């Protein structure tokens, strides 16, 4: 809009002035809030799409790989710590990023929750749509069946009503509806294979249920492992009454350890057999155990515990035999005649059970106060059940104890246990060695019964060995549900891959028995009456040119039957079935 000032009245023109446009009124619901809602709506649509769910499922599988390929703090603390030391800055970086506690890391939980949300968001509307499809009647017969991927035209004896009844009777197990077109032509629409979509939904809901079961197990379950020496008196017994009794206890996020179901076991014997090639054939631990009322009555039950054959304990716990190894026994005789005996599990390093470990003597006799710390003994060494020495290094050539031996290095001094920091039972703190508080002394290779002496007259004897077993207690309240969901997941997957969605249409025209216009029979609904096509049915009727349904019909008593088939998932999904559907008309191809 252009205006002029008062000089216009005197004949002088004033400069043009352009007024700014008036601001557009803000409608209710517009503005930043509406934009934010639109953005969130778009994010939700992307998150709940099936493509996003598949991407997240792939990411979850990919994120699980470090948990299988790298050592984990929850499974093996000493091995994880050694891995970090061996790989320097890379090990430290991976530790900071949570690669050694994958299943407890925030990024793994984020992928898990996003996948859960995506599955819920895409399955609910898909299920609702499927219910709507089930309730809908099969679509009307297209006008030109010859354009279908599968089509045929036959002539059949009898009138149209009789042929239609014969076809309908042969379509057992199909959802079908019979309609009458103008001119008395009878059409039959049938479809089959909805179970394919049911299998697809079962698969995805089972996957969702499996995720929930795993989450419940991580919240309310727990695992604990312990090493028990077989046939070693008090060292052969273990009671599950508190998490502190375990060597390693991994509680669920809401488990505090106060509600453990108590039980006690005693490992009386362990036996293993091997093939000539050194492969294990059997592992059997003979145990006695107490549960429930047996704990107060001091009665025991016996059981042979084997790999993959756990002891099921009342309350849902299971006791597994995980592994085994050797525990050499050392007898330390001091100059005054006092003795200390230590039977300590050594950790296997290879398939021949060459084992490393440390026996620690923490209470040397004749010393008190600070002097005790200065005279502690550490017997660090290698145990070989079938010893052989190559290049000055002792190794084992066979896992069975055919010729046991030890190679030991003695340390004396403060082992650093008074600091309160946890130490591995298989090694010593090398920092104590570096700062001179733990002094390296003699070393020797010993067979059972042989001894070595220290500078103060202390004698160390390799007295023999025992075997130890690694046991694990596991409790998962959702384990049964996880198994059920895993089975239904496989059933749903196989169903969706093997079942094909098919549709078939028949148009029966001509002959003296043609139905009157407007009449119909609906086998799917079980009613009779006129059926008004839906909009999509009308559109399908428009496919192809209009034609006289009774043209090219033979003599009286014969009708023309046009058949069209469509497999929605695969053009060749019918196979020989379509020929059988054509044969239902009991006609002769024209």
């Amino acid at each position: 809009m252009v205006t002029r000032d008062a000089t216009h009245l005197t004949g002088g023109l004033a400069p043009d002035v352009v007024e700014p446009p008036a601001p557009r009124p803000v409608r209710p619901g517009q503005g930043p809030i509406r934009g934010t809602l639109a953005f969130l709506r778009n994010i939700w649509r992307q998150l709940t799409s099936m493509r996003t769910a598949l991407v997240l499922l792939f990411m979850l599988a990919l994120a699980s790989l470090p948990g299988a390929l790298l050592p984990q703090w929850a499974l093996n603390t000493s091995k994880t710590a050694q891995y970090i030391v061996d790989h320097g800055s890379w090990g430290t970086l991976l530790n900071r990023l949570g690669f050694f506690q994958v299943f407890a890391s925030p990024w793994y939980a984020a992928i898990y929750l996003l996948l859960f949300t995506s599955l819920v968001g895409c399955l609910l509307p898909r299920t609702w749509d499927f219910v709507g499809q089930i309730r809908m009647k099969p679509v009307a017969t297209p006008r030109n069946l010859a354009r279908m991927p599968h089509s045929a035209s036959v002539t059949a004896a009898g009138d149209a009503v009789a042929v239609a009844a014969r076809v309908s009777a042969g379509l057992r197990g199909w959802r079908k509806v019979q309609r009458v077109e103008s001119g008395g032509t009878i059409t039959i629409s049938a479809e089959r294979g909805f179970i394919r979509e049911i299998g697809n939904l079962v698969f995805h809901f089972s996957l969702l249920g499996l995720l929930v079961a795993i989450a419940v197990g991580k919240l309310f379950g727990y695992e604990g492992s312990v090493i028990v020496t077989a046939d070693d008196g008090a060292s052969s017994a273990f009671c599950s009454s508190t998490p502190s009794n375990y060597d390693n206890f991994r509680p669920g996020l809401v488990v505090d350890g106060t509600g453990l179901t108590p039980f006690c076991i005693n490992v009386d014997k362990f036996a293993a057999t091997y093939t000539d090639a050194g492969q294990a054939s059997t592992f059997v631990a003979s145990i006695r155990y107490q549960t429930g009322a047996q704990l107060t009555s001091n009665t025991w039950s016996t059981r042979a515990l084997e790999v993959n054959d756990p002891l099921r304990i009342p309350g849902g716990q299971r006791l597994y035999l995980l592994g085994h190894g050797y525990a050499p026994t050392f007898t330390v005789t001091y100059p005054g005649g006092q003795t200390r005996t230590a039977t300590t599990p050594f950790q296997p390093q290879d398939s021949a059970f060459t084992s490393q470990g440390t026996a620690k003597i923490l209470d040397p006799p004749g010393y008190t106060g600070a002097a005790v710390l200065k005279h502690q003994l550490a017997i660090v060494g290698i145990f070989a059940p079938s010893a052989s020495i190559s290049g000055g290094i002792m190794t084992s050539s066979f896992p069975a104890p055919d010729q046991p031996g030890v190679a030991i290095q003695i340390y004396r001094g403060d082992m650093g246990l008074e600091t309160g920091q946890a130490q591995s039972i298989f090694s010593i703190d090398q920092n104590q060695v570096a700062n001179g508080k733990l002094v390296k002394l003699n070393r020797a290779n010993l067979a059972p019964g042989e001894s070595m002496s220290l500078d103060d007259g202390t004698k160390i004897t390799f007295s023999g060995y025992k075997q130890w077993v690694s046991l694990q207690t596991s409790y998962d309240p959702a384990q049964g549900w996880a198994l059920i969901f895993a089975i239904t997941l496989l059933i749903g997957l196989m169903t969706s891959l093997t079942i094909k969605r098919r549709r078939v249409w028949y148009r029966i025209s001509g002959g003296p028995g043609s139905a009157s216009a407007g009449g119909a029979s609906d086998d799917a609904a079980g009613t009779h009456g006129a059926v008004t096509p839906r909009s999509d049915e009308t559109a399908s009727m428009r496919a192809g040119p209009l034609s006289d349904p009774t043209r090219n019909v033979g003599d009286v008593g014969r009708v023309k039957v046009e058949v069209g088939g469509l497999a929605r998932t695969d053009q060749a999904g019918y196979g020989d079935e379509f020929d059988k559907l054509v044969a239902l008309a009991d006609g002769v191809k024209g």
Side-chain angles (χ1 to χ4, degrees):
M1 178 178 179
V2 179
T3 61
R4 301 180 185 275
D5 59 13
T7 57
H8 177 69
L9 300 176
T10 63
L13 294 177
D16 290 346
V17 178
V18 180
E19 293 183 353
R24 298 179 61 182
V26 179
R27 297 179 182 178
Q30 290 183 339
I33 296 180
R34 184 176 182 181
T36 302
L37 292 178
F39 174 75
L40 294 177
R41 190 184 305 114
N42 184 53
I43 292 296
W44 174 253
R45 288 174 180 171
Q46 294 295 327
L47 178 62
T48 56
S49 67
M50 187 57 67
R51 177 180 298 180
T52 302
L54 291 175
V55 171
L56 289 172
L57 184 60
F58 175 76
M59 290 178 61
L60 188 70
L62 191 64
S64 301
L65 286 179
L69 300 177
L70 297 176
Q72 300 293 296
W73 286 114
L75 299 179
N76 195 322
T77 302
S78 60
K79 190 172 182 179
T80 304
Q82 187 61 44
Y83 185 92
I84 295 174
V85 172
D86 293 342
H87 291 79
S89 57
W90 277 108
T92 303
L93 177 61
L94 292 177
N95 186 41
R96 290 177 179 176
L97 294 177
F99 279 79
F100 301 116
Q101 47 184 1
V102 169
F103 304 109
S105 62
W107 48 268
Y108 189 87
I111 299 174
Y112 195 95
L113 291 176
L114 285 174
L115 176 60
F116 183 87
T117 305
S118 180
L119 285 175
V120 172
C122 68
L123 282 179
L124 292 182
R126 186 171 177 177
T127 303
W128 184 254
D129 291 343
F130 177 69
V131 172
Q133 294 178 24
I134 290 292
R135 298 176 63 183
M136 292 171 58
K137 298 175 183 178
V139 299
T141 303
R143 178 71 64 183
N144 192 347
L145 292 178
R147 293 185 176 182
M148 293 291 104
H150 303 269
S151 63
S153 178
V154 299
T155 57
D159 57 32
V161 174
V163 173
R166 189 163 62 239
V167 171
S168 294
L171 292 173
R172 294 174 182 173
W174 291 70
R175 297 177 67 249
K176 54 186 180 291
V177 59
Q178 183 172 309
R179 300 180 176 94
V180 176
E181 296 179 346
S182 60
T185 300
I186 299 176
T187 65
I188 298 175
S189 302
E191 56 187 4
R192 195 175 191 178
F194 274 89
I195 194 173
R196 174 189 177 90
E197 182 63 17
I198 293 176
N200 206 345
L201 290 175
V202 167
F203 168 77
H204 288 93
F205 274 110
S206 297
L207 177 60
L208 186 64
L210 189 61
L211 292 176
V212 173
I214 293 174
V216 170
K218 293 297 183 181
L219 287 173
F220 300 97
Y222 57 84
E223 289 182 350
S225 57
V226 62
I227 291 177
V228 180
T229 305
D231 190 24
D232 193 30
S235 298
S236 300
F238 167 76
C239 287
S240 171
S241 56
T242 175
S244 61
N245 290 348
Y246 288 92
D247 294 331
N248 191 6
F249 187 77
R250 300 177 294 278
L253 297 178
V254 297
V255 176
D256 58 6
T258 59
L260 302 184
T261 302
F263 68 91
C264 291
I265 63 167
N266 196 303
V267 182
D268 294 328
K269 183 181 179 182
F270 176 81
T273 58
Y274 305 92
T275 65
D276 293 338
Q279 298 295 323
S281 23
T282 60
F283 294 149
V284 180
S286 302
I287 66 171
R288 291 176 291 133
Y289 65 94
Q290 293 178 321
T291 61
Q294 291 179 320
L295 294 169
T296 56
S297 62
N298 198 27
T299 57
W300 295 81
S301 300
T302 59
R303 174 97 149 51
L305 191 64
E306 299 183 50
V307 177
N308 296 326
D309 183 20
L311 170 65
R312 302 187 180 275
I313 301 169
Q317 293 186 91
R318 298 172 305 282
L319 182 68
Y320 292 91
L321 173 63
L322 294 185
H324 74 102
Y326 293 94
T329 299
F330 297 97
T331 302
V332 180
T333 305
Y334 288 89
Q338 304 95 331
T339 60
R340 297 289 186 269
T341 301
T343 301
T344 305
F346 275 33
Q347 187 177 34
Q349 302 297 309
D350 54 32
S351 59
F353 279 78
T354 303
S355 307
Q356 294 182 356
T358 301
K360 300 176 182 179
I361 308 297
L362 304 178
D363 57 340
Y367 301 97
T368 58
V372 173
L373 301 179
K374 296 180 180 180
H375 293 84
Q376 293 176 341
L377 289 179
I379 307 173
V380 181
I382 294 175
F383 174 86
S386 295
S388 63
I389 298 178
S390 176
I393 300 176
M394 178 178 291
T395 59
S396 179
S397 58
F398 196 75
D402 296 333
Q403 189 177 351
V406 293
I408 57 175
Q409 171 71 62
I410 310 301
Y411 292 83
R412 183 167 56 203
D414 184 2
M415 281 186 277
L417 296 175
E418 301 299 321
T419 61
Q421 294 182 353
Q423 286 188 18
S424 170
I425 63 173
F426 301 113
S427 62
I428 58 176
D429 187 355
Q430 292 297 327
N431 291 328
Q432 295 295 102
V433 179
N435 60 29
K437 294 184 178 180
L438 199 56
V439 180
K440 181 186 295 187
L441 301 177
N442 303 12
R443 62 183 307 170
N445 296 339
L446 303 177
E450 294 182 346
S451 303
M452 64 173 295
S453 298
L454 303 182
D455 54 1
D456 62 352
T458 301
K459 186 172 68 174
I460 299 175
T461 304
F462 174 36
S463 304
Y465 67 92
K466 296 183 181 296
Q467 298 197 67
W468 57 263
V469 295
S470 176
L471 305 176
Q472 176 178 286
T473 301
S474 178
Y475 173 69
D476 186 349
Q479 186 183 46
W481 286 106
L483 176 61
I484 292 173
F485 285 129
I487 294 174
T488 56
L489 184 147
L490 292 176
I491 294 174
L493 178 62
M494 296 304 298
T495 300
S496 64
L497 292 177
T498 55
I499 301 298
K500 299 178 178 63
R501 182 87 176 269
R502 292 99 70 202
R503 284 178 174 173
V504 66
W505 296 274
Y506 295 84
R507 177 174 284 111
I508 307 167
S509 56
S514 298
S516 59
S521 67
D522 189 345
D523 291 342
T527 60
H528 299 274
V531 178
T532 303
R534 301 185 304 274
S535 59
D536 58 339
E537 296 170 351
T538 304
S540 64
M541 289 180 180
R542 293 173 182 166
L546 296 176
S547 60
D548 182 2
T550 62
R551 69 178 180 178
N552 298 327
V553 180
D555 56 342
V556 177
R558 300 190 69 83
V559 295
K560 179 181 179 180
V561 182
E562 299 174 77
V563 188
L566 174 66
R568 294 185 60 185
T569 56
D570 182 10
Q571 187 174 0
Y574 264 109
D576 296 337
E577 185 182 21
F578 184 74
D579 294 335
K580 297 178 181 178
L581 293 173
V582 174
L584 292 178
D586 194 22
V588 179
K589 286 190 176 182

